Amino acid sequence: MHNVTEFKMDRWIQEHASSAKVSLHGSNIGTLSLSDLQKLDPDAPILDSDLQLSYGPAQGSIKLRERIAALYSSPEVPLTAENVVVTPGSIMANYLTVVNLASPGDHIIVQYPIFPQLLSIPKFHDISMSLWKLKLTSTGWEPDLDELKSLIRPNTKAIIIKYFPISFGPGLSFSADLLW
């Protein structure tokens, strides 16, 4: 892509992942074949022979969105398919989140380290960004809330926190004392 910095981690994964015996590089599960799926429930039809293969709705399948809404809905926060957008991956979800919360000239705070793609979204939309740099200790990544407070500006529209249990070593955790 024009003017997009290469994502070195992704390039390394593309070059080496297919030959790895153990995969620790991703946040997704291994893929399944249709035969694998059929083995999970041999009596269930694997394909809907009446399903029309079309481009589909931009926000995702209505049936899938209804099921996701039902799964995460509660009496306090009832959800419908209208509250759910399905994306083809996390980078698209990140993109939609950033460009819908902030506009050119706005400011966001992004926890760091984080996936490199997330750092490029604000850059290409003239959204200023401050990095909230976490400290790696022997017990994991530790946030400094005073540092976070110092990064907030009048035009700050979002603070992006990414939980990363695998990608960057020990996971991020917030103690109860820190949160309350």
Side-chain angles (χ1 to χ4, degrees):
M1 288 182 131
H2 181 66
N3 291 331
V4 176
T5 305
E6 179 182 42
F7 304 128
K8 293 178 183 178
M9 180 173 65
D10 284 351
R11 174 64 55 207
W12 187 91
I13 290 169
Q14 288 173 12
E15 291 173 4
H16 300 284
S18 63
S19 62
K21 292 181 180 170
V22 177
S23 171
L24 299 177
H25 70 277
S27 57
N28 59 321
I29 61 168
T31 58
L32 297 174
S33 68
L34 290 176
S35 295
D36 294 332
L37 287 173
Q38 188 70 57
K39 290 173 190 170
L40 295 174
D41 187 353
D43 298 327
I46 194 72
L47 293 174
D48 177 356
S49 59
D50 294 323
L51 177 67
Q52 293 190 357
L53 302 176
S54 65
Y55 191 71
Q59 292 182 319
S61 155
I62 188 69
K63 284 183 182 180
L64 177 59
R65 291 171 39 225
E66 287 170 348
R67 290 178 180 166
I68 292 170
L71 179 65
Y72 291 99
S73 193
S74 70
E76 298 81 22
V77 183
L79 299 175
T80 69
E82 293 301 313
N83 303 114
V84 177
V85 175
V86 177
T87 64
S90 62
I91 189 60
M92 180 57 75
N94 290 335
Y95 174 83
L96 291 173
T97 299
V98 170
V99 300
N100 281 286
L101 292 177
S103 300
D106 287 338
H107 173 255
I108 65 171
I109 299 168
V110 179
Q111 163 217 302
Y112 186 85
I114 200 158
F115 294 110
Q117 295 93 332
L118 191 52
L119 300 175
S120 67
I121 297 168
K123 176 182 172 185
F124 288 102
H125 290 278
D126 294 322
I127 298 167
S128 67
M129 174 180 50
S130 295
L131 298 181
W132 179 32
K133 296 178 181 175
L134 305 179
K135 314 294 185 279
L136 182 58
T137 68
S138 60
T139 58
W141 293 95
E142 292 188 6
D144 178 341
L145 288 184
D146 289 328
E147 180 185 354
L148 174 60
K149 289 176 190 174
S150 75
L151 296 173
I152 297 172
R153 302 177 187 169
N155 65 337
T156 299
K157 301 296 182 182
I159 299 171
I160 298 174
I161 298 172
K162 166 74 172 89
Y163 176 69
F164 47 86
I166 296 173
S167 306
F168 297 103
L172 169 65
S173 61
F174 293 96
S175 70
D177 291 338
L178 185 66
L179 292 174
W180 309 114

